Amino acid sequence: MVRAYIVSTGMAVPDRVLTNHDLEKIVDTSDAWIRERTGMAERHVSDENTAASDLALPASRDALRAAGISPDDLDAILVATISGDYVFPATACVLQHKLGASHAMAFDLSAACTGYIYGLSVAQAYIESGRYKNILLVGVDMLTKVVDWTDRNTCVLFGDGAGATVIQPRERGGVLDTVLGSDGSAAELLYQPCGGTRVPISHEAIDRKKHFLYMNGREIYKYAVREMVQSCHEVLKRCGKTIEDVRLIIPHQANNRILEAVAQRLGVSMDRLFINIEKYANTSAATVPIALHEALQQGRLHEGDLALLVSFGGGLTWGASLVQF
Ligand code: UT7
């Protein structure tokens, strides 16, 4: 059977680093609170001239180079993002042009922090059906551009980043299975109220700060632990595997305490999870591909190893993929 294989990865973050101590000068917070409550120490923040496609581009070029293919070889470009260059058109189209990927179709996919896992399931379906052979899947977000920098509840949590992967058919390894879920009844626990057709942009909406990201962190927290654990159990069961078969869990990096709770409920020690939240904070759709990239770079995964990719985010959305390298 042909499976979707992640043949290469790449990543990019903006140069500018904002530490917890820098944040202490902006809002009423402390390095100790942020570290203890989230595990974050610093995050990368883009400047006013950098948009999502500008980060996606170097990450994609790195992944293409590592895969040994040119942009011309690409059949499809999928970009998971909720903070693209524009409301429309798709950032994937902007990226297609910048790369010069003249034969690729391109579209964006909106599943917030679970965007990469949702995208992986789409790439998986295209590859398994034989429709496409060279797919570029990118997770990119710049939520620092849509947070309220006077709101300590949200502005300390996010960073900007992009993770890119090239996905091709292989007969050994690859994505064994993916499970996905959603619950739109909780959509307003994490959302950007203004800018769509519900609340179009207006002076009044902006005066009421409706253009900023809103999050009810405490409520989201409960869902996150439950659904990430459930997704892991479900995908393992579908593949006839147990958590003991998994070399490394690559989770969404929203909060270290969430990851401790997930590890505890899965019955694994923390060293079985790849965690880089300290350096990048929550980069939304980019956390999983960035973590995967760093895990591979650090030699944490070898041929034949199973990795469990798992995420949770706005929508609400969640999902897990079991991937063999
Ligand atoms: O990636 C998408 C999915 N997102 C998530 O999974 C995020 C899930 N949620 C979380 O990670 C956590 O809920 C947060 C990190 C957002 C917040 O942590 P918490 O332990 O749930 O804190 P809390 O919201 O219950 O707030 C506790 C206290 C409050 O003060 P009072 O009301 O007890 O006096 C907050 O005002 O901490 C205060 N607080 C802060 N204090 C210092 C909130 N933010 C800050 C801050 N610095 N930055």
Side-chain angles (χ1 to χ4, degrees), residues 2 74-76 103 105 107 122-135 169:
V2 167
L74 288 173
D75 304 310
H103 304 113
M105 65 81 150
F107 68 94
V122 175
Q124 180 191 348
Y126 279 143
I127 297 276
E128 288 177 0
S129 69
R131 166 78 56 165
Y132 297 126
K133 291 199 161 35
N134 287 300
I135 300 177

Short mmCIF file of all heavy atoms in Angstrom, two decimals, residues 2 74-76 103 105 107 122-135 169:
data_model
loop_
_atom_site.label_atom_id
_atom_site.label_comp_id
_atom_site.label_asym_id
_atom_site.label_seq_id
_atom_site.Cartn_x
_atom_site.Cartn_y
_atom_site.Cartn_z
N VAL A 2 0.47 2.25 -0.81
CA VAL A 2 1.22 3.50 -0.85
C VAL A 2 0.75 4.40 0.29
O VAL A 2 -0.44 4.58 0.51
CB VAL A 2 1.00 4.21 -2.20
CG1 VAL A 2 1.49 5.65 -2.14
CG2 VAL A 2 1.72 3.46 -3.30
N LEU A 74 6.35 20.49 -7.66
CA LEU A 74 5.20 20.42 -6.73
C LEU A 74 3.87 20.32 -7.46
O LEU A 74 3.61 21.06 -8.42
CB LEU A 74 5.18 21.64 -5.81
CG LEU A 74 6.27 21.70 -4.73
CD1 LEU A 74 6.22 23.05 -4.00
CD2 LEU A 74 6.10 20.56 -3.72
N ASP A 75 3.02 19.42 -6.97
CA ASP A 75 1.65 19.29 -7.50
C ASP A 75 0.67 20.11 -6.67
O ASP A 75 -0.36 20.54 -7.18
CB ASP A 75 1.18 17.82 -7.40
CG ASP A 75 2.11 16.88 -8.10
OD1 ASP A 75 2.45 17.14 -9.26
OD2 ASP A 75 2.50 15.86 -7.48
N ALA A 76 0.97 20.25 -5.36
CA ALA A 76 0.01 20.89 -4.47
C ALA A 76 0.74 21.60 -3.35
O ALA A 76 1.74 21.11 -2.82
CB ALA A 76 -0.93 19.84 -3.88
N HIS A 103 3.42 24.50 -11.44
CA HIS A 103 2.46 23.42 -11.70
C HIS A 103 1.61 23.06 -10.50
O HIS A 103 0.89 22.07 -10.53
CB HIS A 103 3.20 22.16 -12.18
CG HIS A 103 4.03 22.42 -13.38
ND1 HIS A 103 5.41 22.35 -13.37
CD2 HIS A 103 3.69 22.79 -14.62
CE1 HIS A 103 5.87 22.66 -14.56
NE2 HIS A 103 4.85 22.93 -15.34
N MET A 105 -1.34 23.39 -7.61
CA MET A 105 -2.55 24.03 -7.10
C MET A 105 -2.26 24.44 -5.66
O MET A 105 -1.34 23.90 -5.03
CB MET A 105 -3.76 23.09 -7.22
CG MET A 105 -3.71 21.85 -6.38
SD MET A 105 -4.18 22.13 -4.65
CE MET A 105 -4.87 20.58 -4.19
N PHE A 107 -4.02 25.98 -1.82
CA PHE A 107 -5.12 26.51 -1.01
C PHE A 107 -4.74 26.51 0.48
O PHE A 107 -3.83 25.79 0.89
CB PHE A 107 -6.44 25.75 -1.24
CG PHE A 107 -6.45 24.32 -0.74
CD1 PHE A 107 -6.94 24.00 0.52
CD2 PHE A 107 -6.01 23.29 -1.56
CE1 PHE A 107 -6.97 22.69 0.97
CE2 PHE A 107 -6.04 21.97 -1.12
CZ PHE A 107 -6.52 21.67 0.14
N VAL A 122 -5.23 15.68 4.74
CA VAL A 122 -5.58 15.99 3.34
C VAL A 122 -4.47 15.47 2.42
O VAL A 122 -4.74 14.81 1.40
CB VAL A 122 -5.79 17.51 3.16
CG1 VAL A 122 -6.02 17.84 1.69
CG2 VAL A 122 -6.94 18.01 4.00
N ALA A 123 -3.23 15.76 2.79
CA ALA A 123 -2.09 15.27 1.99
C ALA A 123 -2.10 13.75 1.93
O ALA A 123 -1.86 13.14 0.87
CB ALA A 123 -0.79 15.77 2.61
N GLN A 124 -2.41 13.14 3.06
CA GLN A 124 -2.49 11.67 3.14
C GLN A 124 -3.52 11.14 2.12
O GLN A 124 -3.24 10.21 1.37
CB GLN A 124 -2.91 11.30 4.57
CG GLN A 124 -3.05 9.83 4.87
CD GLN A 124 -3.74 9.59 6.22
OE1 GLN A 124 -3.92 10.50 7.03
NE2 GLN A 124 -4.13 8.35 6.47
N ALA A 125 -4.68 11.79 2.07
CA ALA A 125 -5.73 11.32 1.16
C ALA A 125 -5.32 11.51 -0.31
O ALA A 125 -5.55 10.63 -1.14
CB ALA A 125 -7.03 12.08 1.45
N TYR A 126 -4.69 12.65 -0.60
CA TYR A 126 -4.24 12.89 -1.99
C TYR A 126 -3.20 11.84 -2.39
O TYR A 126 -3.21 11.33 -3.51
CB TYR A 126 -3.60 14.27 -2.11
CG TYR A 126 -4.57 15.43 -2.25
CD1 TYR A 126 -4.31 16.66 -1.64
CD2 TYR A 126 -5.73 15.33 -3.02
CE1 TYR A 126 -5.16 17.74 -1.78
CE2 TYR A 126 -6.59 16.40 -3.17
CZ TYR A 126 -6.31 17.60 -2.54
OH TYR A 126 -7.15 18.67 -2.68
N ILE A 127 -2.28 11.56 -1.51
CA ILE A 127 -1.20 10.61 -1.84
C ILE A 127 -1.76 9.20 -1.95
O ILE A 127 -1.49 8.47 -2.93
CB ILE A 127 -0.09 10.64 -0.76
CG1 ILE A 127 0.58 12.01 -0.70
CG2 ILE A 127 0.91 9.50 -0.97
CD1 ILE A 127 1.68 12.30 -1.67
N GLU A 128 -2.57 8.80 -0.98
CA GLU A 128 -3.09 7.41 -0.99
C GLU A 128 -3.99 7.17 -2.20
O GLU A 128 -4.05 6.06 -2.72
CB GLU A 128 -3.85 7.13 0.32
CG GLU A 128 -2.92 6.99 1.52
CD GLU A 128 -3.66 6.78 2.84
OE1 GLU A 128 -4.91 6.75 2.83
OE2 GLU A 128 -2.98 6.68 3.88
N SER A 129 -4.69 8.21 -2.65
CA SER A 129 -5.56 8.04 -3.81
C SER A 129 -4.79 8.07 -5.13
O SER A 129 -5.34 7.78 -6.19
CB SER A 129 -6.62 9.16 -3.84
OG SER A 129 -5.98 10.39 -4.14
N GLY A 130 -3.52 8.48 -5.06
CA GLY A 130 -2.72 8.57 -6.27
C GLY A 130 -2.90 9.89 -7.01
O GLY A 130 -2.32 10.10 -8.07
N ARG A 131 -3.65 10.82 -6.43
CA ARG A 131 -3.95 12.09 -7.11
C ARG A 131 -2.68 12.95 -7.28
O ARG A 131 -2.45 13.50 -8.34
CB ARG A 131 -5.00 12.83 -6.29
CG ARG A 131 -5.20 14.27 -6.64
CD ARG A 131 -6.02 14.52 -7.86
NE ARG A 131 -7.33 13.91 -7.82
CZ ARG A 131 -8.33 14.22 -8.65
NH1 ARG A 131 -8.14 15.12 -9.59
NH2 ARG A 131 -9.49 13.63 -8.55
N TYR A 132 -1.89 13.09 -6.22
CA TYR A 132 -0.69 13.93 -6.29
C TYR A 132 0.52 13.18 -5.72
O TYR A 132 0.37 12.31 -4.87
CB TYR A 132 -0.88 15.22 -5.49
CG TYR A 132 -1.98 16.12 -6.03
CD1 TYR A 132 -3.02 16.55 -5.20
CD2 TYR A 132 -1.98 16.52 -7.36
CE1 TYR A 132 -4.02 17.37 -5.70
CE2 TYR A 132 -2.98 17.34 -7.86
CZ TYR A 132 -4.00 17.76 -7.02
OH TYR A 132 -5.00 18.55 -7.51
N LYS A 133 1.72 13.58 -6.20
CA LYS A 133 2.93 12.89 -5.77
C LYS A 133 3.89 13.78 -4.97
O LYS A 133 4.71 13.28 -4.21
CB LYS A 133 3.68 12.35 -6.99
CG LYS A 133 2.91 11.21 -7.66
CD LYS A 133 3.81 10.38 -8.55
CE LYS A 133 3.22 9.01 -8.84
NZ LYS A 133 1.77 8.99 -8.97
N ASN A 134 3.82 15.07 -5.18
CA ASN A 134 4.72 15.99 -4.47
C ASN A 134 3.90 17.10 -3.83
O ASN A 134 3.42 18.00 -4.54
CB ASN A 134 5.73 16.61 -5.44
CG ASN A 134 6.79 15.60 -5.86
OD1 ASN A 134 7.52 15.07 -5.04
ND2 ASN A 134 6.84 15.32 -7.15
N ILE A 135 3.75 17.02 -2.52
CA ILE A 135 2.91 17.99 -1.81
C ILE A 135 3.76 18.76 -0.81
O ILE A 135 4.54 18.17 -0.05
CB ILE A 135 1.75 17.27 -1.08
CG1 ILE A 135 0.88 16.52 -2.09
CG2 ILE A 135 0.91 18.28 -0.27
CD1 ILE A 135 -0.25 15.71 -1.47
N PRO A 169 4.68 9.86 -1.95
CA PRO A 169 4.28 8.46 -1.75
C PRO A 169 5.49 7.56 -1.48
O PRO A 169 6.53 7.73 -2.08
CB PRO A 169 3.64 8.08 -3.09
CG PRO A 169 3.97 9.14 -4.06
CD PRO A 169 4.53 10.31 -3.34
#
